[in-house]
Amino acid sequence: MAGELEEQRRHSSRFWGWKTWTVIALTTILAVSVAACGRQPRMSLFGFSTKECKCTSSHELTGIVEDCCCDYKTVDTLNDHVLHPLLQDLVRAPFFRYFKAKLWCDCPFWPDDGMCHLRDCSVCECPEHEFPETFKVPSGQLPVDDLKCQEGKPQAMVDRTLDKKAFRGWMETDNPWTYDDETDNSEMTYVNLLLNPERYTGYMGPSARRIWDTIYKKHCLKDLPGDASTERRVLYKLISGMHSSISVHIAKEYLLDEGKNLWGPNPTLLYERVLKHPDRVRNLYFTFLFVLRAVTKAGDYLSQAEYSTMNSLEDQNTLSLVNQLVNNKRLQSACPIPFDEAKLWKGENGNELKSQIQLQFRNISALMDCVGCEKCRLWGKLQILGLGTALKILFSVDSNDLINQSAQLQLQRNEVIALINLLSRLSESVKTLHDLAPVTKNAMDGQIAASSLQSL
Ligand SMILES: Cc1cc2nc3c(=O)[nH]c(=O)nc-3n(C[C@H](O)[C@H](O)[C@H](O)COP(=O)(O)OP(=O)(O)OC[C@H]3O[C@@H](n4cnc5c(N)ncnc54)[C@H](O)[C@@H]3O)c2cc1C
């Protein structure tokens, strides 16, 4: 445990060390990005978001986050002071760091993409003593260091080491928004997320492109017509926001020198994939608030749930952190309803539209089995399940009847783990982007001072 935390700390200090040497590059990057921001058309879905997205001289987005009920500045402040620190602690808790997933690929859409037909590649042989009897996978798999499934890239492989903690409690219930059958079976494996940080894996090219293209084009998410329904736009923004977050994490922890195993930030990539596209930044904030709303809406449920890992001290701490998150006075007063889901599905064909979008989201969830890199598949599945859980919470609980929440809502342990980890991923991405603004400002001030000196 201490080793894991130390490793986490090293990752994070490596990141903060980069600010100085990337400052000039980021100045240029953000200046262009921010200049582009003002040109983006702003679309209001519900009509209650009155302020425009503007860019100030300090390069920050201002105004209300589109279709949400909270402004950018408040989101950044709450995230910096409340949400990010709490979530960092929560995802390190034993309960939240183990995620159950079917990791071998079994793509239902195309047969011969990458290594996905080699289903055994993705299942490991963990030492028997490391995890409880009930979580054992069938024997006879390929060795854990087999690279066939990873297109030869060791950094793409999932480390499946577990400790001896056991789990109990929680219901096995279906989620209408997701594709996976989440019931425990021999195909499922448990993964310690702290040993498998979301970062650059080398997964790219036609295989990765095919997944994103299928999501955006086949599932009608991109190039939505002007009269596309609010709900379709919400779905697009959720996927785009998650995509932005994945890109931020890739850029934040990039393999700079494979020979030296040197990891660090890649500002050019951050710019090209996210900062250059203000809509992607906005969609990240939107997704963050959407998921935050789901977590706070399920607050009663989450604060009464069982977080047992057979370690009472750790488990009490986990429950206390969950309570600090869902009953946070500062959050409740500054941003009481981060997203207002009550406005959705109100049209004449609301129920039909809901079924259609549910099916689309299930197909996107199924596509995660086609991701040709194990770690990306792990984080893709986790984040899609997290989004599916947020959708389930927001659209299966009557906002006017929160008293009967427990009767209306049944969550699986794995759904809650995915939900909190997704919120943490998004929070980290928002913080990463927000932190670049002051860095850039300092660099610009430095440049201005330097050029004034030169002109003397
Ligand atoms: C589910 C999933 C998880 C992944 N996880 C990882 C990982 O953990 N580590 C890793 O190294 N790689 C991961 N990848 C691969 C990674 O996302 C990229 O596909 C890869 O790095 C190649 O990037 P690219 O420059 O081709 O653009 P991509 O990120 O592949 O984008 C493809 C196209 O989608 C559009 N697009 C890009 N971003 C957005 C956005 N935010 N909103 C709307 N449209 C957008 C653009 O038109 C772009 O050209 C993952 C891929 C998938 C499908």
Side-chain angles (χ1 to χ4, degrees):
M1 175 63 190
E4 286 168 10
L5 292 180
E6 179 55 22
E7 177 59 13
Q8 289 283 314
R9 196 196 56 71
R10 277 206 305 276
H11 282 318
S12 116
S13 62
R14 266 201 303 269
F15 169 60
W16 295 116
W18 69 297
K19 283 183 175 174
T20 321
W21 60 266
T22 55
V23 112
I24 302 297
L26 289 171
T27 302
T28 321
I29 285 167
L30 274 173
V32 180
S33 161
V34 165
C37 178
R39 293 197 295 272
Q40 292 295 313
R42 189 179 171 285
M43 206 150 356
S44 175
L45 301 184
F46 305 141
F48 56 70
S49 159
T50 51
K51 295 185 196 165
E52 289 296 307
C53 156
K54 288 184 221 132
C55 301
T56 65
S57 56
S58 66
H59 310 305
E60 286 177 288
L61 287 169
T62 60
I64 304 284
V65 179
E66 281 182 325
D67 313 313
C68 295
C69 315
C70 205
D71 64 79
Y72 285 99
K73 194 162 179 228
T74 304
V75 177
D76 284 328
T77 309
L78 281 173
N79 191 39
D80 281 354
H81 299 289
V82 180
L83 299 169
H84 187 261
L86 267 175
L87 287 162
Q88 288 283 299
D89 286 346
L90 255 184
V91 295
R92 287 190 181 107
F95 181 86
F96 284 105
R97 65 172 180 249
Y98 297 102
F99 180 65
K100 182 180 69 174
K102 187 189 74 177
L103 281 180
W104 49 264
C105 27
D106 184 24
C107 178
F109 299 108
W110 48 79
D112 58 351
D113 188 57
M115 295 289 125
C116 279
H117 53 286
L118 293 175
R119 56 186 266 174
D120 285 336
C121 286
S122 302
V123 185
C124 82
E125 284 180 33
C126 295
E128 294 248 328
H129 63 275
E130 280 194 2
F131 58 105
E133 195 67 31
T134 43
F135 302 116
K136 285 184 181 162
V137 292
S139 58
Q141 296 87 30
L142 290 170
V144 68
D145 56 353
D146 192 296
L147 295 183
K148 271 188 271 180
C149 265
Q150 320 309 330
E151 298 171 354
K153 299 188 178 73
Q155 65 270 21
M157 215 157 66
V158 163
D159 180 337
R160 291 176 174 80
T161 311
L162 286 172
D163 62 24
K164 291 179 188 164
K165 302 284 187 298
F167 307 98
R168 68 184 162 86
W170 299 87
M171 304 284 292
E172 298 285 354
T173 52
D174 190 39
N175 184 337
W177 293 89
T178 53
Y179 169 79
D180 265 340
D181 172 10
E182 294 296 331
T183 47
D184 263 318
N185 60 44
S186 58
E187 292 164 354
M188 293 292 191
T189 182
Y190 276 83
V191 172
N192 181 341
L193 297 169
L194 296 185
L195 295 181
N196 296 283
E198 186 191 25
R199 58 181 178 179
Y200 173 79
T201 61
Y203 181 49
M204 56 182 74
S207 171
R209 180 53 69 100
R210 189 173 184 180
I211 308 278
W212 289 122
D213 280 356
T214 308
I215 291 177
Y216 288 122
K217 291 184 185 147
K218 193 160 173 219
H219 297 293
C220 309
L221 292 181
K222 228 166 195 166
D223 305 321
L224 290 168
D227 59 351
S229 68
T230 299
E231 291 80 0
R232 284 194 200 287
R233 289 188 197 286
V234 166
L235 180 59
Y236 169 70
K237 285 159 85 150
L238 290 178
I239 297 295
S240 168
M242 182 192 83
H243 192 169
S244 301
S245 180
I246 290 174
S247 301
V248 171
H249 288 287
I250 295 173
K252 192 179 151 189
E253 282 200 64
Y254 194 78
L255 185 55
L256 299 170
D257 186 330
E258 198 162 357
K260 294 182 185 150
N261 195 29
L262 180 66
W263 292 81
N266 182 335
T268 313
L269 195 143
L270 188 64
Y271 167 65
E272 287 297 332
R273 296 207 188 161
V274 186
L275 290 172
K276 193 174 150 189
H277 310 271
D279 57 316
R280 296 182 190 174
V281 177
R282 288 198 295 262
N283 293 341
L284 171 65
Y285 276 78
F286 172 86
T287 306
F288 182 44
L289 288 183
F290 186 94
V291 177
L292 182 62
R293 166 64 182 152
V295 168
T296 54
K297 185 172 182 180
D300 280 355
Y301 189 98
L302 294 175
S303 61
Q304 288 162 29
E306 187 186 5
Y307 297 97
S308 171
T309 60
M310 308 294 197
N311 179 336
S312 57
L313 260 184
E314 291 262 30
D315 298 341
Q316 273 169 29
N317 187 42
T318 307
L319 182 59
S320 155
L321 288 167
V322 169
N323 273 306
Q324 288 173 53
L325 178 68
V326 299
N327 298 317
N328 195 283
K329 295 276 171 281
R330 219 170 142 187
L331 176 61
Q332 281 165 359
S333 72
C335 187
I337 302 181
F339 172 81
D340 186 2
E341 72 284 358
K343 309 263 175 186
L344 298 183
W345 323 113
K346 289 289 182 221
E348 214 177 293
N349 303 320
N351 284 339
E352 197 186 317
L353 186 62
K354 191 170 175 181
S355 304
Q356 281 172 14
I357 293 185
Q358 217 165 54
L359 182 63
Q360 274 181 307
F361 193 83
R362 270 212 302 274
N363 281 335
I364 293 171
S365 159
L367 260 173
M368 294 303 114
D369 278 328
C370 306
V371 174
C373 136
E374 210 173 41
K375 249 183 210 161
C376 314
R377 201 178 313 132
L378 168 69
W379 283 103
K381 281 187 168 222
L382 181 145
Q383 294 182 82
I384 287 291
L385 179 61
L387 278 184
T389 307
L391 287 159
K392 175 172 160 179
I393 293 168
L394 292 185
F395 303 123
S396 57
V397 176
D398 182 352
S399 307
N400 299 319
D401 188 14
L402 290 180
I403 310 284
N404 291 319
Q405 187 178 102
S406 292
Q408 296 175 56
L409 188 64
Q410 280 297 346
L411 295 176
Q412 295 182 39
R413 181 188 58 218
N414 217 36
E415 288 177 326
V416 172
I417 292 168
L419 181 70
I420 296 296
N421 273 282
L422 168 65
L423 188 63
S424 168
R425 296 283 77 205
L426 296 166
S427 156
E428 180 118 6
S429 296
V430 164
K431 182 164 168 49
T432 301
L433 292 188
H434 179 232
D435 284 342
L436 294 177
V439 172
T440 308
K441 191 168 183 308
N442 287 344
M444 285 176 91
D445 289 347
Q447 273 187 329
I448 293 163
S451 57
S452 332
L453 275 177
Q454 273 172 1
S455 62
L456 282 176

